[in-house]
Amino acid sequence: MSEEGKPVRRPRTPRETQELVERSLRRRYGAERRFRAYGLCAVILGIAFVAFLFATILAQGVSVFRQAYVQLDVFYDPEVIDPSGTRREDDLRLADYEALVRTALRAEFPGIEGRRDVRQLTRLVSSGAAHELQRRVLANPGLVGQRERVWLLASADVDLLLKGEIARDEIGEEGRLSEEQLAWIDTLRERGRLELRFNRTFFVNGDSREPEQAGVRGAVMGSFFTLLLTLILSFPIGVAAAVYLEEFAPRNRWTDLIEVNINNLAAVPSIVFGLLGLAVFIGFFGLPRSAPLVGALVLTLLTLPTIIIAARAALKAVPPSIRDAALAMGASPIQTVVHHVLPLAMPGILTGTIIGMARALGETAPLLMIGMVAFIVDVPSGFTDPATALPVQIFLWSDSPERGFVERTSGAIIVLLAFLIVMNTAAVLLRRRFERRW
Amino acid sequence: MARRSLLPAVAVAAGLALSTGTPAQTARDYISIVGSSTVYPFTTTVAERFGRGGRFRTPKVESTGTGGGIKLFCNGVGVQHPDIVNASRRIKPSEVEACTKNGVKEIVEIKIGYDGLTLSRSRKGTPMKLTRRDVFLALAKEIPDPAKPGALIPNPHRTWRDVNPTLPAERIEVLGPPPTSGTRDSFVELVMEPGCSAFEWIRKLKDSEENRFRRICHTLREDGVYVEAGENDNLIVQKLGANPNAVGIFGYSFLEENEDRLRGLALDGVVPTYESIADGSYPASRALYIYVKKAHVGVIPGLREFIAEYVSDRALGEEGYLADKGLVPPMDGERDRIRADALALANLKL
């Protein structure tokens, strides 16, 4: 179109203009489609990661809900558990219940003699079986002298074999189960005396060193007490702080400073709060280590900024016309806030609180410093009992040498994820149900 | 609106929780234990059995690491301080001093047994017989120059055959603990140091130039041959299963628990087994201890009984339940002596 380097412009024909516009339109539509595709890719990638995470954890952990049990005919021999015949609780508590299990097992396989073989045979049953019999007798002393057919925990090796975690052909000289033990296991299965049943133990027991006896109840209760107290402490403090800052505080340099600091606190790594808790609550106030009370205080510090920020945003979203109307009708400022602004902001505040709580539920680092990373068998029953929490339990199990804990670890993760999903769903539902748009 | 009554209710509940939550720090009816993560599996097993007995509450066992545990232990006497500390090494004189300064004057030392540090490989891989010299030559960042005595060169070895012609021509790939781990300390001390002392001139450095000696012997390669696999030994076990050529470094209890998949490699001609670690012929084994605060005996219910349980034959015997967990208990004569000292609450002598 140029002549002698000089552009000569002639007016475009309508056809040319149309072509130009169409070409540019095509380009713009293309860009639009690509842009959407990028977004879609990002979402798909995110979902793929989450799906991969869930799939691996479920694949490893879903077997935890079933557990190998052996059915035995137990005779509560008075000679063994109550030789004095007094049925005194102390005698019954200290009796040799392992002997009952041994006798019952040998009755199942009458041919077995010899110390080594009997030892091997008893290894098929968990050491928790004797504990279970003790529990039964203490709960009902009338059982002494009776016979009963009970399902007892099998040992972790039997459990892993039944679930296919230990391959049969790998069993040899160095293997975990001997040829004889394999034969006994097969016999028991043929007789219907050994099977995978619902794993109640996992939900009612505290921690244990034996994978087959370890459960999440202690950790769940520890998390429950900690979170309950965290909620009780952080919700009123957080809401009060947000209401004051949003509704009553004058706008000046001080409130700006406070606002900046709250935002900073929300970004502080959680281990720092743990160190603070160790120094202040345990060191200075002398509160007990490993207690949900201290855990809750530390997690309160951690969740407060989240709650304050969410609550302030929710309060800000309530239109000023509501306040003006209330004040115009003669309501006092406190009536305006309590009767009108807070109820309208509540869905947003609750959502923020639940998200803060969900974060607190998943925290491990601060709990490390205040001694909640601990082996605790007894299920905690109060705020000052030694306790641990769900994520800590996952961490401890993942580091245990026993092979059975691999599955327990994933099982505990599933339980934790279930709680998180429930809490986050509650947050979404609350928002949907009560949110008002202006 | 129901939501309106929520606020006062929460406020009242908070008040209640705060007023009833004031702790009774005057008494503690359970034993509190802190310390090494290596001893943790053993002490927790004893604690669980002890709690099952039903006479006392189950002790609380925290996993804080040996150094951190001793610090907490030495902070003072009183119910807010722990009663027992687990240690994967012996307590240091400086730590005893700190203890004494804080009023913890009488400490009972109980050696509970040994833990072997093993080099293991998948059963699918070829078995190797290593010496500590081989391991040093394979893993040290700098090794002695074979051409020039007294000089160091960056470690050029890529395969095990480069290290020692009798070994297979497989790529060196070792998964082990990071520097923060107590296992790493033990590995450096029990394997690397003796390995580099196989060279005469380096051994002499130990007396003349200790810092240089430590730098040569303690520094591991950073070129990807030695992989720091994190504190989690289970992860190393899993990676070994997936990669038959790799060698992993961890405690004997993890090898024992995975004997069906893994094979312990012979070190200086001795295969890591229960027997070879117990009688001391396996070179890389370390002693494990627990330390008890004597001032707490008689104050914390069950402390004396817990010690008795720990050193009983049921637990520490050759067929005791701790042996099932991978601990290698002391041999008969030594065990009797340890038990007598523990039951008499004999004071620690450094």
Side-chain angles (χ1 to χ4, degrees):
Chain A
M1 265 195 245
S2 65
E3 216 169 275
E4 294 166 359
K6 252 189 184 175
V8 178
R9 295 194 73 113
R10 81 181 150 74
R12 290 196 186 100
T13 63
R15 169 170 288 273
E16 275 176 341
T17 312
Q18 194 175 355
E19 266 176 14
L20 201 69
V21 168
E22 272 175 3
R23 222 180 308 132
S24 126
L25 259 184
R26 262 203 303 282
R27 211 174 49 241
R28 288 173 64 190
Y29 277 129
E32 186 84 3
R33 271 197 302 276
R34 276 199 302 282
F35 184 67
R36 279 190 204 173
Y38 294 148
L40 197 62
C41 280
V43 172
I44 289 173
L45 200 66
I47 289 178
F49 277 127
V50 172
F52 178 72
L53 178 79
F54 275 50
T56 35
I57 287 170
L58 277 177
Q60 272 185 15
V62 85
S63 57
V64 84
F65 299 112
R66 294 169 63 74
Q67 168 83 33
Y69 282 85
V70 184
Q71 192 183 39
L72 290 177
D73 294 315
V74 177
F75 175 48
Y76 296 98
D77 191 346
E79 293 287 307
V80 177
I81 36 179
D82 193 22
S84 61
T86 53
R87 304 280 192 279
R88 271 200 345 185
E89 203 183 306
D90 272 359
D91 288 356
L92 291 181
R93 194 186 293 281
L94 295 176
D96 184 7
Y97 290 91
E98 278 168 27
L100 295 186
V101 177
R102 234 174 1 247
T103 318
L105 268 170
R106 288 180 68 174
E108 196 69 33
F109 294 98
I112 291 168
E113 292 297 331
R115 226 174 92 78
R116 184 177 162 275
D117 282 0
V118 172
R119 253 179 81 93
Q120 286 215 2
L121 185 61
T122 45
R123 287 240 170 118
L124 295 184
V125 177
S126 160
S127 64
H131 192 58
E132 168 70 15
L133 293 184
Q134 181 203 41
R135 207 181 53 77
R136 277 168 183 266
V137 169
L138 287 180
N140 177 14
L143 276 174
V144 179
Q146 306 280 316
R147 278 180 189 284
E148 195 185 11
R149 185 168 270 209
V150 270
W151 284 99
L152 294 171
L153 269 179
S155 72
D157 283 349
V158 175
D159 187 47
L160 289 173
L161 180 81
L162 256 59
K163 287 172 180 165
E165 299 282 330
I166 306 179
R168 267 170 175 269
D169 52 4
E170 280 176 42
I171 292 159
E173 192 61 22
E174 302 273 354
R176 303 162 58 89
L177 291 163
S178 67
E179 299 286 340
E180 293 99 316
Q181 283 177 316
L182 267 184
W184 294 328
I185 291 171
D186 289 341
T187 318
L188 280 173
R189 293 198 74 174
E190 276 161 29
R191 292 182 193 163
R193 290 302 190 89
L194 173 64
E195 62 182 42
L196 289 173
R197 298 164 65 87
F198 175 69
N199 189 358
R200 202 173 146 267
T201 320
F202 186 66
F203 297 99
V204 299
N205 270 21
D207 197 2
S208 169
R209 286 307 308 163
E210 311 298 329
E212 76 276 7
Q213 295 170 49
V216 287
R217 174 102 188 276
V220 168
M221 290 311 285
S223 275
F224 170 74
F225 285 123
T226 312
L227 280 192
L228 181 69
L229 204 51
T230 308
L231 181 67
I232 290 173
L233 291 174
S234 64
F235 185 75
I237 299 177
V239 172
V243 165
Y244 179 76
L245 285 175
E246 201 55 45
E247 302 289 328
F248 299 112
R251 294 267 175 271
N252 60 25
R253 196 167 289 182
W254 287 111
T255 43
D256 282 350
L257 189 72
I258 290 174
E259 180 161 358
V260 168
N261 272 310
I262 289 174
N263 290 332
N264 274 343
L265 272 184
V268 166
S270 54
I271 186 87
V272 175
F273 289 109
L275 286 166
L276 186 78
L278 176 67
V280 176
F281 300 130
I282 295 177
F284 187 71
F285 289 111
L287 299 183
R289 276 181 79 82
S290 315
L293 173 68
V294 181
L297 289 170
V298 169
L299 292 179
T300 299
L301 295 179
L302 191 86
T303 44
L304 260 182
T306 319
I307 294 181
I308 294 177
I309 292 169
R312 289 191 67 181
L315 289 169
K316 209 176 273 177
V318 176
S321 56
I322 301 275
R323 295 181 186 84
D324 295 342
L327 291 171
M329 294 301 286
S332 67
I334 183 172
Q335 283 173 328
T336 309
V337 168
V338 175
H339 294 176
H340 302 282
V341 181
L342 260 189
L344 288 171
M346 210 33 104
I349 296 177
L350 288 181
T351 310
T353 309
I354 292 174
I355 289 170
M357 287 293 130
R359 186 182 162 205
L361 176 63
E363 272 304 339
T364 328
L367 303 183
L368 186 79
M369 305 311 301
I370 57 169
M372 284 181 85
V373 180
F375 176 71
I376 288 155
V377 176
D378 303 334
V379 175
S381 57
F383 293 114
T384 49
D385 280 353
T388 179
L390 259 177
V392 173
Q393 191 68 76
I394 293 166
F395 166 71
L396 286 173
W397 282 350
S398 76
D399 205 20
S400 300
E402 291 84 359
R403 186 103 64 93
F405 277 119
V406 174
E407 168 198 274
R408 303 276 143 168
T409 308
S410 298
I413 295 175
I414 293 176
V415 172
L416 180 66
L417 281 179
F419 276 111
L420 287 175
I421 289 172
V422 167
M423 289 171 80
N424 286 325
T425 315
V428 172
L429 288 181
L430 272 175
R431 201 162 51 218
R432 284 274 167 73
R433 176 85 178 71
F434 294 110
E435 192 175 48
R436 292 183 65 169
R437 298 200 175 276
W438 309 96
Chain B
M1 262 199 211
R3 274 171 289 147
R4 208 176 294 164
S5 58
L6 197 66
L7 262 187
V10 167
V12 170
L16 273 179
L18 280 181
S19 58
T20 55
T22 4
Q25 195 52 210
T26 43
R28 168 154 58 79
D29 59 351
Y30 56 89
I31 300 170
S32 163
I33 306 173
V34 295
S36 160
S37 53
T38 313
V39 188
Y40 173 89
F42 309 125
T43 300
T44 46
T45 308
V46 181
E48 189 177 354
R49 300 266 176 155
F50 179 72
R52 284 272 173 76
R55 288 173 59 206
F56 301 101
R57 287 184 63 184
T58 313
K60 175 190 86 180
V61 189
E62 285 180 45
S63 169
T64 61
T66 303
I70 291 180
K71 222 166 159 186
L72 285 169
F73 179 80
C74 286
N75 254 343
V77 172
V79 284
Q80 68 272 37
H81 303 294
D83 314 311
I84 297 178
V85 60
N86 296 324
S88 60
R89 55 167 170 80
R90 220 171 166 214
I91 195 168
K92 292 177 191 159
S94 59
E95 288 166 337
V96 175
E97 224 167 79
C99 256
T100 317
K101 215 166 64 196
N102 289 330
V104 186
K105 296 205 170 68
E106 293 181 304
I107 304 170
V108 183
E109 178 184 70
I110 304 170
K111 190 202 262 185
I112 58 163
Y114 302 91
D115 180 34
L117 201 64
T118 63
L119 285 102
S120 310
R121 191 171 223 199
S122 160
R123 286 198 165 267
K124 283 173 259 168
T126 32
M128 290 193 291
K129 282 190 163 49
L130 299 171
T131 65
R132 282 184 279 185
R133 186 173 176 275
D134 295 337
V135 177
F136 167 71
L137 287 179
L139 294 183
K141 191 174 179 192
E142 289 184 317
I143 59 165
D145 190 345
K148 207 166 96 199
L152 293 169
I153 49 166
N155 196 332
H157 299 145
R158 307 307 311 179
T159 70
W160 288 103
R161 179 160 291 168
D162 295 342
V163 173
N164 183 341
T166 62
L167 293 173
E170 287 165 358
R171 206 154 66 81
I172 306 174
E173 204 179 344
V174 178
L175 307 170
T180 47
S181 153
T183 315
R184 168 79 165 259
D185 294 344
S186 304
F187 173 72
V188 166
E189 186 186 323
L190 297 169
V191 180
M192 293 298 284
E193 221 173 88
C196 74
S197 299
F199 296 90
E200 192 64 27
W201 68 271
I202 300 184
R203 198 174 65 229
K204 283 186 183 141
L205 283 181
K206 185 164 189 177
D207 302 321
S208 51
E209 283 178 78
E210 209 190 327
N211 279 339
R212 178 136 185 260
F213 172 79
R214 287 173 66 94
R215 204 174 58 242
I216 300 172
C217 299
H218 289 202
T219 317
L220 298 188
R221 293 172 83 160
E222 287 158 2
D223 54 357
V225 169
Y226 178 82
V227 184
E228 281 172 10
E231 292 269 11
N232 191 328
D233 293 341
N234 266 328
L235 212 63
I236 303 185
V237 170
Q238 281 178 18
K239 284 183 181 161
L240 290 187
N243 181 356
N245 277 335
V247 172
I249 299 170
F250 39 76
Y252 177 67
S253 46
F254 282 84
L255 173 63
E256 195 189 35
E257 189 64 26
N258 294 286
E259 287 265 42
D260 56 334
R261 294 192 277 191
L262 303 181
R263 181 189 286 130
L265 301 179
L267 200 59
D268 290 353
V270 188
V271 179
T273 60
Y274 179 87
E275 290 76 20
S276 67
I277 295 169
D279 65 17
S281 58
Y282 183 71
S285 75
R286 59 176 160 173
L288 304 176
Y289 300 88
I290 63 171
Y291 292 92
V292 184
K293 206 176 277 176
K294 205 166 165 182
H296 285 192
V297 178
V299 178
I300 305 294
L303 191 51
R304 193 184 285 273
E305 289 80 358
F306 181 75
I307 301 171
E309 169 79 32
Y310 216 130
V311 296
S312 71
D313 256 334
R314 210 158 83 89
L316 216 51
E318 239 155 84
E319 298 198 339
Y321 55 76
L322 288 182
D324 283 345
K325 288 279 163 201
L327 178 76
V328 177
M331 296 300 260
D332 289 333
E334 194 184 12
R335 190 163 64 237
D336 291 341
R337 200 170 42 71
I338 289 169
R339 178 176 307 146
D341 280 356
L343 293 179
L345 299 174
N347 270 334
L348 163 74
K349 286 188 273 306
L350 279 179

